[in-house]
Amino acid sequence: MSQVEKKAGLLRRTSSSKKPLKEKVVLMYDEIFAKEDPAKNNPRFWDELFLMKVNLEYLESKLESVDGEDVQRIQDNINSLFHHCVQALGEEHQIKVVNALQTLCALFRGVHQKNKSASGFDIINMLMGFDKAEQRMKDLMERLDSLLCGDSSESLKSLCLKLMYNNYNLICFQNTILEYVMINSIFEAILQILSDVSSRGQHGYDAVVLLALLVNYRKYESVNPYIVKLSIVDDEPTLDGMGMVVHQALTEYNRQYKDKEEENQGGFFSTLTSMVGSMFIADADEKLSVQTNEAILLALYEAVHLNRNFITVLAQSHPEIDIAVTPTTTTPTTPTTPLGTTPPSLDMMNNPELPLDPNLQTSNLLITFLKYASIVMQDTKDEHRLNSARLCLIILTCIAEDQYADAFLHDDNMNFRVSLHRMPMRHRKKAVDKNIPSRPLVCAVLDLMVEFIVTHMMKDFPMDLYLRCVQIIHKLLCYQKKCRIRLHYTWRELWSALINLLKFLLSNETTLLAKHNIFHLALLVVNLFNMFITYGDTFLPTSNSYDELYYEIVRMHQVFDNLYCMESSACLSL
């Protein structure tokens, strides 16, 4: 059957002299879009409708094709369809419930396409009638909550979640409907999914994405109940479940990147790259690009930012096992997938605890996030990845500001080998993972900041990212000074990176000043050096470190002299 025939609901081709045959459900849809009440001549109309397989394409196309005059004519029937869909969600017959959910999906999408330029009031009026909207949405949210928390099948729960976040994406700017979602919260249902191992394996990804979206709805304009409730969650299984979902999604991204990286190593391509230097590096980066996952990153930010109890989840250790992902088939209930990339495999989600091996490297959510950030932050020329890198640095800022997080970052008893990804550059060799020492996690954070500083000095200068990067370093140094922690770190690499950053600002002063306030960034860098000079005796590991610091400053004194001259000239010009 052709796509046109399928969309029209035709059962088969017929001769020109005969009327084309249509599916019964299509004929019933036509009755709904007629002026008369479809249940007038058939009292069992609505019962029969939800026993029929939904024709999503036809229903949506009918809604889109309705013109302005017909909207008023069929509004009562559309309201009735929405009302009976909600009622059908309470049926014991599973087929009716599934068909009602799919019909609701089609209704939301079809009405949205029809009313893209209309107000939220018009959408509500067409779907459920403005005078009955509050009760209809209350009934809908209660039925969805009941399905998510009850003993419904996994496919039904998946449909409920997809209905919620797909419709969020469709009507995010038509916010009147979402106001009802705020009033009739399903927060507890989402937490129940995350706390249960079985439910989390099936629906954890969708639940976390939905929660992140709902938390961000008008978060700066009004009181969002999802923000308030997320900030006070202290149930350990729930927080652990959320951390497991985020961890496995980021792990999947890291695994995909590693697989692509290995595909591009060795053989003829590697030989050509080494022969002609950087000519093929851009191509390599392009091949290595993997779609980032902003939805899961946003969920991690909200958890770290809003809930102090979630900080403990970052440090929970478990064996680092690279589990190959087996392709999973999903029920074609809704046509779109969640924001970002595909969810991790069910095997990974269903195995939060794995047998420990003394020879096995341990990991945690923070390590996985640092690896993810090291990949995303390599290429910030694309606006999409620039925003991802910005969000990564904001998350690291939240972590660096938390006292408990700083405590386990600097804990000598929690040492890990963190293999960060590094941008390919001509003047340095690729680091070998086996040479990475086992160190406190703060060393990996500092390595990531140094790597970013060194690799992003370019014409399209990411000023806001550099500011966040330097501020993260400053917050970590403040904690070390306060707690007198003598961290055994190769500080010389950091000093060299900061001095090279100042040299770059000086060399490109004219170009950068037209777009950015480079004096603010330069001041932050100088403040870091002042901190090392003034308080270094409280956190530098040895006196030799102090000697290296002064040696670097004296050796590169011309940079600081030129910076002083630039500042003086700027002041005089004012």
Side-chain angles (χ1 to χ4, degrees), residues 114-371:
K114 179 65 186 173
N115 294 275
K116 275 185 175 179
S117 59
S119 65
F121 176 91
D122 293 329
I123 286 182
I124 288 179
N125 202 33
M126 185 173 181
L127 277 177
M128 59 198 88
F130 194 71
D131 56 332
K132 299 177 181 178
E134 187 171 346
Q135 185 60 45
R136 293 283 186 267
M137 286 301 299
K138 182 176 183 293
D139 293 341
L140 174 61
M141 298 306 296
E142 286 178 353
R143 297 283 165 82
L144 291 176
D145 185 79
S146 178
L147 289 171
L148 290 171
C149 295
D151 297 326
S152 306
S153 66
E154 301 300 339
S155 59
L156 271 180
K157 291 183 179 181
S158 180
L159 257 177
C160 291
L161 290 169
K162 290 185 188 304
L163 170 67
M164 289 295 300
Y165 73 66
N166 282 339
N167 288 329
Y168 179 99
N169 294 333
L170 288 174
I171 58 177
C172 58
F173 60 90
Q174 304 281 7
N175 52 34
T176 314
I177 289 180
L178 286 177
E179 293 295 340
Y180 295 111
V181 179
M182 293 293 111
I183 296 171
N184 304 284
S185 172
I186 58 167
F187 183 79
E188 286 71 21
I190 295 175
L191 294 193
Q192 183 172 319
I193 290 173
L194 295 176
S195 62
D196 181 74
V197 175
S198 176
S199 294
R200 183 171 69 241
Q202 294 285 339
H203 316 293
Y205 184 90
D206 291 343
V208 167
V209 171
L210 176 60
L211 181 60
L213 292 173
L214 292 174
V215 165
N216 278 274
Y217 173 69
R218 296 185 65 181
K219 63 188 297 185
Y220 301 116
E221 302 173 26
S222 60
V223 177
N224 183 323
Y226 290 88
I227 292 178
V228 177
K229 291 181 179 181
L230 179 59
S231 65
I232 60 175
V233 173
D234 58 359
D235 181 62
E236 188 174 339
T238 301
L239 295 173
D240 290 347
M242 186 175 184
M244 181 60 64
V245 172
V246 175
H247 175 264
Q248 299 297 357
L250 297 182
T251 298
E252 171 64 8
Y253 177 92
N254 295 345
R255 186 195 65 80
Q256 289 179 10
Y257 181 88
K258 185 177 179 182
D259 289 346
K260 285 201 172 188
E261 189 177 42
E262 290 176 353
E263 287 176 10
N264 289 314
Q265 286 179 355
F268 184 66
F269 180 83
S270 179
T271 304
L272 284 176
T273 304
S274 61
M275 287 174 59
V276 295
S278 62
M279 184 182 299
F280 288 86
I281 288 179
D283 295 335
D285 288 340
E286 186 175 332
K287 290 183 180 180
L288 289 177
S289 63
V290 180
Q291 184 183 5
T292 52
N293 195 334
E294 279 73 29
I296 238 31
L297 207 59
L298 182 63
L300 176 59
Y301 163 71
E302 296 298 350
V304 171
H305 174 62
L306 295 174
N307 194 306
R308 285 209 67 210
N309 299 314
F310 189 80
I311 294 295
T312 61
V313 177
L314 295 174
Q316 290 179 359
S317 299
H318 52 78
E320 185 178 44
I321 296 180
D322 188 15
I323 302 177
V325 177
T326 56
T328 58
T329 56
T330 56
T331 308
T333 53
T334 50
T336 55
T337 54
L339 284 172
T341 179
T342 54
S345 67
L346 296 184
D347 290 339
M348 298 172 76
M349 297 291 292
N350 286 326
N351 288 279
E353 296 183 4
L354 297 166
L356 284 171
D357 186 325
N359 298 320
L360 198 61
Q361 168 69 19
T362 56
S363 181
N364 56 41
L365 175 55
L366 181 57
I367 292 175
T368 304
F369 168 69
L370 290 174
K371 291 180 179 179

Side-chain angles (χ1 to χ4, degrees), residues 50 80-89 99-101 103-104 107:
F50 295 115
S80 186
L81 174 59
F82 186 91
H83 171 60
H84 284 91
C85 282
V86 174
Q87 283 193 324
L89 296 181
N99 289 335
L101 283 169
T103 303
L104 284 170
L107 275 175

Side-chain angles (χ1 to χ4, degrees), residues 543-560:
S543 57
N544 288 337
S545 299
Y546 240 131
D547 294 339
E548 289 181 358
L549 169 64
Y550 282 109
Y551 173 78
E552 284 296 314
I553 293 174
V554 172
R555 186 174 70 90
M556 304 300 292
H557 71 92
Q558 192 65 47
V559 174
F560 295 97

